[in-house]
Amino acid sequence: MTITITLDVMLAKRKVKSKDLAEFIGITEQNLSLIKTGKIKGVRLTTLDAICRYLQCQPGDILEFNENEP
């Protein structure tokens, strides 16, 4: 069971640059890159809230549960 982060897909759909999103939510581009690639163990709800506000989406639009993946 794993959760896949599809933030890069939502950024492309909204035509938003990572740099602009990182600046809005107050994190570095490197940390945003870690979130986009899924190389994190957790994400603060305030960060998730800021991402969703900026992209005008729901958490389920950027987080995907894959039951069959290890």
Side-chain angles (χ1 to χ4, degrees):
M1 294 182 280
T2 186
I3 294 180
T4 305
I5 300 172
T6 57
L7 179 56
D8 53 345
V9 174
M10 187 56 65
L11 286 169
K13 284 182 181 178
R14 298 289 195 255
K15 298 179 182 172
V16 172
K17 295 180 183 177
S18 294
K19 179 181 177 180
D20 296 335
L21 177 59
E23 185 178 314
F24 177 81
I25 61 178
I27 64 173
T28 65
E29 289 182 65
Q30 293 89 349
N31 284 341
L32 183 61
S33 178
L34 291 173
I35 294 171
K36 286 180 5 182
T37 58
K39 295 181 180 179
I40 57 170
K41 292 189 183 237
V43 62
R44 292 177 186 222
L45 291 178
T46 55
T47 302
L48 184 58
D49 177 68
I51 291 170
C52 290
R53 284 183 190 277
Y54 191 80
L55 296 176
Q56 297 180 353
C57 67
Q58 294 293 316
D61 295 331
I62 57 176
L63 300 173
E64 183 178 293
F65 177 70
N66 297 310
E67 188 173 349
N68 296 326
E69 291 189 27

